[in-house]
Amino acid sequence: MSVAEISRPARGSNSTTQQTMLETAATTRLLESEGILDYSGHVSTRIPGREAFVIQIGSTSRAEVSPDSMLVVDYDGNVLEGDGQPPSELPIHLEILRARPDVQSVLHSHMELAIAFTMMEGVKLLPMRARASRWKSGIPIDPDPSHIKLPEQGRALARTLGPHHAVLMRAHGLCLVAESAQALFVDAVHFKENATAQMQALQAGAKPIPLTEAEIAQIEKMEMREWHIKKLWNYYVRKALDEEALPQAWRDELVPTKEMLKRDRTL
Ligand SMILES: [Zn+2]
C-alpha cells in the first residue's frame, strides 16, 4: 500500500516530500505515545518518486518531531535537505532500505520487551497472537550488541533480517519493516502485544503455545491488512490529536476520510 492510499493526494514532488515528512513525524510521535520509542529510536520512510528517504534529526525529542525536524537523506547517507544531523545509527536505515526494495519504512526501537527476548536461553519470540501471523517466517536475532554506526554493521543487520519483517538485536533493540509508515506503526503495536502475550505466559510459569502453521493459514484467509491499517491509524491519530500528542494543524492531513475507511469486502 502506498502512502497516498491512506493520505490525501500530494501535489508534485515537493508536496510528496512534505507529506512523507508529516506522516513519518506523526508515526514517530504515535510510537512514543505507545511506549515503543522513548529518548531514542527512529523511523525512516522512502519519498515516492525520489532517490531519497526522510528521517528525523537525531537529537530531536521523539515526542516533538515535526516536518521541520526531518531530513531528506540519499542512499549514500548524504543529507540533501534539512538543518541537522541524522541519528548516529543511520546505517541501520541505509542498509536495510538498500537491501530491501520492497520495504518503504523502517523502525528502529530499543523496546525493552523485545530486548528481553534476546537475553533468555532457550526462549524464542514466536507468533502467539493472531496479528503476529505477520512474523510467521521468523524473527531472527542479530548477534551484534553494539550500536550500529558502521556501514558493515548495517549490512550485517540487513543480512540477518533477510526477507523477514522483523529482526531483534541482541541486548539492544529491534527493527521492523513495512510497506508504509502507517503499516509500520500498526505492526509495532501488534509486535508489542505479541511479545507481551508471550512474556505473560512465561511469567505465569507456563510453556507458551504459539500459533501453528494451520492456525496461521486460517488467520490469513480472514486477513484484510489494508483496511485494518486504516482502522488502527484512524483510532490512534484521533486519540493523539485529542490528547494533544499531535498538533491540531495536522488533523486534515492525517485523519482518513469516511470514504477511505469503507471496507470493500468482509473477507
Ligand atoms: Zn539503537
Side-chain angles (χ1 to χ4, degrees), residues 89 108 110 147 172:
E89 292 192 297
H108 172 53
H110 294 174
H147 284 146
H172 175 180

Side-chain angles (χ1 to χ4, degrees), residues 30 34 185 189 232-241:
L30 294 176
E34 296 307 309
F185 170 71
V189 168
L232 267 71
W233 180 256
N234 182 57
Y235 168 78
Y236 282 102
V237 165
R238 285 174 175 275
K239 181 165 164 271
L241 286 163

